[in-house]
Amino acid sequence: MSAARLHAAIAEALAAHPGLTELAVQTSSYGSEIPHLFGTMRVAGTVIWATDLIETRSTDDGGKGAPDTVRYTYSASLAVLLSARPIREVRRIWADGKLLRGAGGDFKAATGFRLYLGSETQAPDPLIASAVGPGRATAMRGQAYAVFEGLQLADFANRIPSLTFEVVADEGWVDPADIAAAMGEGRVSGEGPLGPPLGGFSAYGGSRAAVLETLAAASGGWFAAEGGGVGCAAGAGRRLWSRIRGWAARGACARWRRRTRRPSP
């Protein structure tokens, strides 16, 4: 089951207590593109599944004849898709721009948390499987996602906050040639570095060819027709050969972080 189809499991009606503002949720849409992440990037991700708002009622004894006080707290569980290729780890997480999870893994708000790195052997998340029913939950193999279980919302005005993640897809710097080879799915090959290494790269959109063009621009290279295909040249004569004829350039986007020099050996 694809992420877009899993979107059908997201609740349409969100429970609300009188006076509580409507719960705002980042949601995926059918056919939406999930980025392929390389290096280290800070990304928002896409919510692919969420529970209704969960209300918990508690009563405080007023004491000495005073009336009891009724308090309401709210939580939610959700899954956020991060990358269309496997990753190594997630470091820090921010909620509404404030640190939710530190580099040491400590959370500032109570929540259960599970991270699926995108292996080919990962199983469906048990919470999602129990919620959507047998056979409907997907393992999302080859894709990385995070699950929050019972995220307490008191610090976020009783709504799901806007989440961003520091995702490490590859350790260290990434050569544009390696990114192009991964995006080319066997149709791109090359020798040697294509250009200056990138600290991070997020490729998304409807055209892999357009992503390769963005890589060429990021690395100071260029494309030219040659040998029945398309060649990308950069640096001192190094070439990245690309047989991408027939790929539809329907528009694509990419973001990257460039390093100015290579790390010391």
Side-chain angles (χ1 to χ4, degrees):
M1 184 188 300
S2 66
R5 293 181 63 185
L6 185 60
H7 167 69
I10 298 176
E12 295 180 357
L14 299 174
H17 183 268
L20 187 64
T21 58
E22 183 180 357
L23 182 65
V25 181
Q26 301 161 279
T27 57
S28 64
S29 58
Y30 291 100
S32 62
E33 290 288 336
I34 305 301
H36 293 70
L37 300 183
F38 299 86
T40 301
M41 295 291 293
R42 180 172 172 174
V43 297
T46 302
V47 172
I48 55 174
W49 173 85
T51 64
D52 292 345
L53 190 66
I54 301 169
E55 180 182 88
T56 301
R57 182 179 184 271
S58 61
T59 303
D60 295 333
D61 187 357
K64 296 184 179 180
D68 293 344
T69 301
V70 178
R71 295 187 297 108
Y72 295 90
T73 59
Y74 298 88
S75 63
S77 298
L78 63 150
V80 184
L81 187 57
L82 302 173
S83 175
R85 66 184 291 265
I87 65 173
R88 291 179 176 269
E89 63 174 321
V90 167
R91 292 175 179 166
R92 293 170 294 175
I93 303 173
W94 293 266
D96 289 343
K98 298 180 180 179
L99 193 65
L100 173 63
R101 180 184 190 241
D106 55 309
F107 279 89
K108 313 305 180 184
T111 184
F113 181 76
R114 292 181 293 280
L115 177 65
Y116 296 87
L117 300 177
S119 76
E120 293 300 329
T121 59
Q122 67 188 20
D125 182 78
L127 177 64
I128 298 176
S130 65
V132 303
R136 294 193 63 195
T138 174
M140 304 293 287
R141 290 173 181 164
Q143 301 180 75
Y145 70 103
V147 175
F148 295 85
E149 183 171 353
L151 174 62
Q152 296 298 311
L153 304 176
D155 293 337
F156 313 112
N158 290 324
R159 59 173 179 78
I160 293 180
S162 176
L163 299 167
T164 55
F165 302 76
E166 182 183 21
V167 178
V168 179
D170 305 281
E171 290 292 347
W173 301 2
V174 185
D175 192 280
D178 295 332
I179 300 174
M183 292 299 297
E185 295 185 326
R187 293 186 252 186
V188 178
S189 61
E191 296 181 0
L194 177 62
L198 304 177
F201 188 89
S202 175
Y204 57 97
S207 167
R208 294 177 185 270
V211 170
L212 294 179
E213 291 174 355
T214 302
L215 272 173
S219 58
W222 64 92
F223 277 94
E226 189 169 344
V230 177
C232 179
R238 290 191 174 93
R239 293 181 179 275
L240 180 71
W241 298 106
S242 170
R243 295 182 296 278
I244 59 175
R245 183 169 292 174
W247 288 2
R250 293 175 301 205
C253 302
R255 295 187 295 117
W256 65 87
R257 296 191 300 110
R258 172 176 287 172
R259 301 287 190 178
T260 58
R261 59 185 179 83
R262 291 186 178 275
S264 301

